[in-house]
Amino acid sequence: MARQRIAVLGGGLGALSTVFHLTDQPDWVARYDITLYQQGWRLGGKCASGRDLRDGYGHRILEHGLHLFGGFYNYSFAMLRRCYETLGRPQGHPNRTVWDAFTGLDAIALMDRDKNANGDTVFDPWWINFEPAPGLPGEGFEPPTVTAMMQSLIRMVGVATGTVAHHQHHAKPDDGGFLEQALQMVEGLVLRIADDIADDLIRDLIAHIEAYATSTAAKAGDAVPSKTVDRMLMTVYLVQTVLWGMVEDDVLDNGFDPLDRYELKDWIRRHGLEVAKHYKRDVPDPKAAAEALANSPIVRCSYDYVFGYKDGDPGQPGQGAGTALRGFLRLAAGFRGHVFYTMRGGMGDVVIAPLYQELARRGVKFEFFSRVERLRPGEGDVIEAIEVGVQARTASGPYQPLIDVPLAGWPADAPLPCWPAQPQWDQLEDGQKLKAEGIDFEAPWSPVLETRTLLAGQDFDQIVLGIPVGELKRVCADLPPVKPKWQAMFDALGLTRTIALQLWFRRTNEDLGCDYPGRTLTGAAQPLSCWADMSHLLSRETWKAQERPQSIAYFCGQMRGPAAQDAAEAQAATDLAATLSRSWLMAEAATLWRAAGAGDIGIDPAVLYDPEDRAPDRRFEAQYWRANTTPSEMYVQYLPGSLKARLRAQESGFGNLFLCGDWTRNGLNAGAAESAVMSGVICARAIWGDHSPIAAEVDVLA
Ligand SMILES: Cc1cc2nc3c(=O)[nH]c(=O)nc-3n(C[C@H](O)[C@H](O)[C@H](O)COP(=O)(O)OP(=O)(O)OC[C@H]3O[C@@H](n4cnc5c(N)ncnc54)[C@H](O)[C@@H]3O)c2cc1C
């Protein structure tokens, strides 16, 4: 049988996962000849990161945003574990195995709001601590059953409210452990009932939880702050509502997908109202109670975590209820090991570079600086041509994209292979000229040297389309007239700009008065609602100067507005990201760093690390911010009603065109690394003719 020539377009996680799984077959060399076309100098797309190569900047990591993996990312971890094993990094390498490269996180804080004595709104973190679960992510692929997720949801009452001691660590109330004991009793009770969780028992269960929670709260009320009791009751109410809604909407029979037409908050309001009417006899206004529930911290933070606002506007919440519920239940109730994992390195270093190295070793060919411009449909439902813009040529031989970053304290023969934040100009023809022109190879409007046309049957047999939906509107503009479902997909899928900020400090967290070292928070003020202390990355950068940064913080969020269409719009978005970052810090910095002084960015600028030691009013310039605003960078959402418009790997309508990426229909259907990796597993199988669903693609009902 002739080898199939596969042209892979784009090198994000979806495409890399497809290629990884195609080439993980023992006989792949006899079956496939694979070439991947990637714009610019690096792989990774929305997960790409780069090292700052300027003198004195310590190879610092520059990300597109703040990235966490969930402990339920079984496909991602299984792929990476295998990738690291086959790479065979030497003993003593800083990121030798996948478990050296990732660290588990067991807690996250929801930034609840409160009023202080002056009546000002202040943030009051609500810590949710998850007990580690047995096993490691990637040891299996089956998601928990819907029934098991319902049982875990009930356990959430204890998880979400059993963290009182932590939440109160500044002023622990002297309650003699009463509340914790009471919470354990609630948990024990609901678990006993939940052992046999059938539809008809759930209403009894909801009533039991209500009665028990109310009496516990009443007893606890004297001993502990009302805030803690409020949180417990709110969690109970949310759990009741989700259980009620899942029963009412037949999730136990039909899974989560049918709920996708509802917006999550609307769904919570509707079922919250029913629960309040039926069970909350002491609630005078059930409608108001349901509204408060829809705006409670857990629900609100779920939006921030997935940039779940239409057009990036916090006034327009937009999560399809089915996809949201499945995603959050798998996150909170379906993890192995730890609930979250953070990376010891940039996402490019920890996830993308090892995949590139392994795939190159296997014999996959990479054509960097190749921007796909157009797919041309031909007769008989096939793509007959791919137009590729040649952005740059190498001076000699294939482009070598990675640099070795030597880390202090690690063996000199075990450097960390990383992506630079800009091309390696000296490998390119006219590299210095291109550098001087400041050409942005990741922007669709940057010039190309020439356009090549790849022809079906001559240059390729099959196409793996790994370019994201924002950019496909341009690249696949000829497809909707032939296959209208492409237009339906373009119209339905929501995209949002995102904003990211990274700060390096001259002071330790302790000196800055930071109460959350090593922690991650979500639900803070817009637009930089997610924050993480990333000081552990100091060991993965190469600061040498005597004075060096002592801590690092990352922020991320969504940003209003459409994709930029030209360089001026992209620049305006970047400038806006700087303005928004400064004003956010001015208003909010004191919540995170109590001892960072004051200034026109909310902290004393002298605490910021600046390798060029600029004057105080310019030290912010040494920090890193960005607006992700090119069409390809736009984050893919799951707006209500959009699910049915997603296309599965083999549903392009063209016999030689297979689809992958977080925007495809892949079972998770969300803007998440795991969704992209799952799409790649599905795509690889579709190419070898297996269209059956993969384990986590379907809801396992019982
Ligand atoms: C700010 C931010 C934070 C995030 N945080 C998290 C997180 O914490 N956890 C998580 O799980 N997920 C997170 N995500 C989502 C995750 O990054 C994406 O789901 C994932 O990267 C999508 O992979 P993909 O392969 O579908 O697309 P992409 O990553 O967009 O990859 C597409 C690839 O195609 C290339 N390309 C585009 N146009 C062309 C062209 N014309 N020609 C050739 N190549 C082209 C791109 O350069 C890129 O290599 C975050 C996303 C953003 C934006």
Side-chain angles (χ1 to χ4, degrees):
M1 207 173 74
R3 285 171 93 200
Q4 298 269 303
R5 286 158 301 190
I6 302 184
V8 181
L9 310 183
L13 258 186
L16 293 173
S17 164
T18 307
V19 179
F20 186 91
H21 289 95
L22 279 177
T23 57
D24 220 24
Q25 305 295 306
D27 61 343
W28 81 270
V29 178
R31 295 165 69 189
Y32 308 120
D33 175 6
I34 303 176
T35 308
L36 187 148
Y37 298 85
Q38 167 62 45
Q39 68 180 8
W41 71 99
R42 61 177 168 183
L43 302 173
K46 289 185 271 290
C47 297
S49 63
R51 295 300 186 129
D52 194 333
L53 299 187
R54 287 175 295 172
D55 277 351
Y57 278 78
H59 292 100
R60 63 182 190 171
I61 297 164
L62 308 178
E63 292 274 7
H64 277 78
L66 170 57
H67 295 290
L68 288 178
F69 270 28
F72 79 102
Y73 282 17
N74 291 314
Y75 289 94
S76 303
F77 277 108
M79 175 175 76
L80 288 173
R81 190 164 60 171
R82 205 170 139 61
C83 178
Y84 274 79
E85 278 165 12
T86 46
L87 262 185
R89 288 179 167 172
Q91 285 290 346
H93 190 285
N95 286 356
R96 192 172 77 82
T97 71
V98 74
W99 306 122
D100 296 325
F102 283 85
T103 321
L105 281 182
D106 294 318
I108 191 160
L110 313 181
M111 294 303 267
D112 199 358
R113 290 169 171 82
D114 208 351
K115 296 267 184 226
N116 67 12
N118 303 330
D120 304 326
T121 301
V122 290
F123 284 101
D124 181 9
W126 176 356
W127 288 98
I128 312 252
N129 290 341
F130 291 82
E131 283 291 310
L136 288 168
E139 283 180 350
F141 298 109
E142 285 285 324
T145 63
V146 173
T147 319
M149 288 199 279
M150 290 173 107
Q151 287 174 349
S152 299
L153 184 64
I154 295 160
R155 218 164 295 143
M156 287 295 128
V157 177
V159 175
T161 54
T163 51
V164 184
H166 191 98
H167 157 64
Q168 297 294 340
H169 73 290
H170 292 307
K172 193 172 181 318
D174 183 17
D175 67 356
F178 170 79
L179 189 66
E180 279 183 40
Q181 276 173 33
L183 287 166
Q184 275 168 20
M185 285 166 70
V186 174
E187 200 183 330
L189 176 82
V190 292
L191 283 181
R192 274 202 306 284
I193 302 170
D195 270 350
D196 183 13
I197 190 160
D199 287 26
D200 53 352
L201 277 181
I202 287 186
R203 282 190 176 73
D204 287 352
L205 174 62
I206 290 172
H208 277 345
I209 300 175
E210 183 63 30
Y212 212 83
T214 314
S215 72
T216 305
K219 281 185 228 153
D222 294 340
V224 294
S226 62
K227 182 93 188 180
T228 304
V229 173
D230 286 352
R231 284 177 180 173
M232 185 182 91
L233 291 177
M234 192 59 94
T235 309
V236 165
Y237 185 18
L238 182 62
V239 167
Q240 291 172 304
T241 298
V242 175
L243 288 176
W244 172 280
M246 285 172 72
V247 172
E248 281 295 299
D249 288 347
D250 298 324
V251 174
L252 281 162
D253 297 322
N254 303 326
F256 291 99
D257 282 352
L259 273 56
D260 219 72
R261 58 185 190 279
Y262 307 118
E263 206 291 310
L264 179 67
K265 280 193 177 183
D266 291 343
W267 186 87
I268 288 175
R269 271 188 201 102
R270 179 156 58 88
H271 293 298
L273 181 60
E274 290 305 310
V275 169
K277 276 193 209 153
H278 281 80
Y279 296 111
K280 298 194 172 292
R281 303 203 193 292
D282 52 343
V283 168
D285 183 351
K287 217 168 156 195
E291 186 61 34
L293 183 68
N295 293 303
S296 61
I298 296 181
V299 178
R300 189 167 46 75
C301 290
S302 79
Y303 284 78
D304 293 343
Y305 181 65
V306 299
F307 314 127
Y309 303 101
K310 192 165 181 304
D311 301 326
D313 173 3
Q316 300 190 65
Q319 294 192 71
T323 299
L325 288 167
R326 177 196 294 115
F328 285 106
L329 286 174
R330 283 192 186 172
L331 174 73
F335 64 91
R336 293 183 169 87
H338 303 279
V339 63
F340 289 112
Y341 286 83
T342 186
M343 286 157 230
R344 289 203 184 106
M347 180 114 175
D349 322 334
V350 164
V351 175
I352 307 296
L355 285 170
Y356 164 73
Q357 288 187 298
E358 174 58 10
L359 295 179
R361 191 189 66 79
R362 289 179 182 183
V364 174
K365 288 166 275 182
F366 289 86
E367 299 260 357
F368 289 94
F369 302 100
S370 299
R371 191 177 68 212
V372 180
E373 305 291 347
R374 206 81 165 177
L375 261 55
R376 297 273 181 219
E379 295 294 311
D381 287 344
V382 292
I383 300 297
E384 66 177 15
I386 307 167
E387 288 173 13
V388 181
V390 179
Q391 298 179 291
R393 293 192 192 88
T394 56
S396 72
Y399 183 72
Q400 302 299 326
L402 299 178
I403 52 167
D404 279 340
V405 173
L407 300 179
W410 298 95
D413 61 350
L416 193 61
C418 298
W419 304 90
Q422 49 173 294
Q424 307 207 53
W425 302 103
D426 53 358
Q427 291 186 36
L428 301 182
E429 245 178 51
D430 295 326
Q432 290 312 316
K433 182 169 159 273
L434 293 169
K435 182 179 180 185
E437 285 168 4
I439 190 159
D440 179 359
F441 290 111
E442 292 180 337
W445 44 81
S446 62
V448 294
L449 302 177
E450 62 166 326
T451 303
R452 288 168 67 191
T453 302
L454 307 177
L455 296 175
Q458 186 176 308
D459 302 298
F460 66 89
D461 300 300
Q462 314 284 2
I463 304 169
V464 169
L465 186 59
I467 294 173
V469 65
E471 173 75 344
L472 289 182
K473 292 180 185 177
R474 180 179 79 93
V475 168
C476 292
D478 295 334
L479 306 194
V482 194
K483 300 285 172 195
K485 61 183 171 183
W486 278 82
Q487 191 59 49
M489 184 272 285
F490 287 153
D491 292 343
L493 288 197
L495 304 176
T496 179
R497 289 178 173 188
T498 50
I499 174 174
L501 171 68
Q502 298 175 209
L503 303 178
W504 288 260
F505 289 100
R506 294 166 64 202
R507 303 271 182 273
T508 60
N509 276 312
E510 201 179 356
D511 289 345
L512 292 168
C514 173
D515 290 330
Y516 323 113
R519 300 294 196 158
T520 302
L521 317 173
T522 181
Q526 300 293 348
L528 293 167
S529 57
C530 299
W531 170 92
D533 171 31
M534 300 298 276
S535 304
H536 64 280
L537 294 182
L538 289 169
S539 72
R540 297 297 192 271
E541 300 178 340
T542 62
W543 302 101
K544 288 200 184 72
Q546 224 173 3
E547 196 197 68
R548 41 180 292 160
Q550 303 292 328
S551 58
I552 305 178
Y554 285 11
F555 298 82
C556 201
Q558 72 294 319
M559 214 174 135
R560 269 176 234 198
Q565 296 305 320
D566 56 34
E569 285 183 17
Q571 187 56 49
T574 307
D575 295 344
L576 180 61
T579 308
L580 291 170
S581 297
R582 295 179 73 109
S583 51
W584 190 97
L585 288 171
M586 187 64 206
E588 306 294 332
T591 14
L592 294 173
W593 305 291
R594 285 180 288 104
D600 68 352
I601 50 168
I603 50 176
D604 177 357
V607 302
L608 291 175
Y609 184 78
D610 177 358
E612 297 176 42
D613 207 12
R614 294 172 180 84
D617 62 336
R618 295 193 52 207
R619 293 183 86 82
F620 182 76
E621 290 171 31
Q623 313 309 308
Y624 183 68
W625 61 88
R626 66 178 289 141
N628 297 306
T629 183
T630 65
S632 169
E633 288 167 349
M634 297 291 282
Y635 179 83
V636 181
Q637 303 173 302
Y638 46 89
L639 298 180
S642 64
L643 180 67
K644 58 184 184 309
R646 286 179 175 250
L647 304 175
R648 201 170 181 267
Q650 75 282 10
E651 290 176 351
S652 74
F654 301 91
N656 60 352
L657 181 64
F658 294 88
L659 311 175
C660 61
D662 63 359
W663 60 275
T664 59
R665 183 138 186 181
N666 55 58
L668 206 54
N669 308 319
E674 179 73 351
S675 178
V677 172
M678 284 170 66
S679 81
V681 180
I682 297 167
C683 187
R685 289 158 57 107
I687 289 170
W688 71 68
D690 180 354
H691 300 312
S692 58
I694 61 171
E697 201 182 340
V698 283
D699 296 319
V700 186
L701 300 177

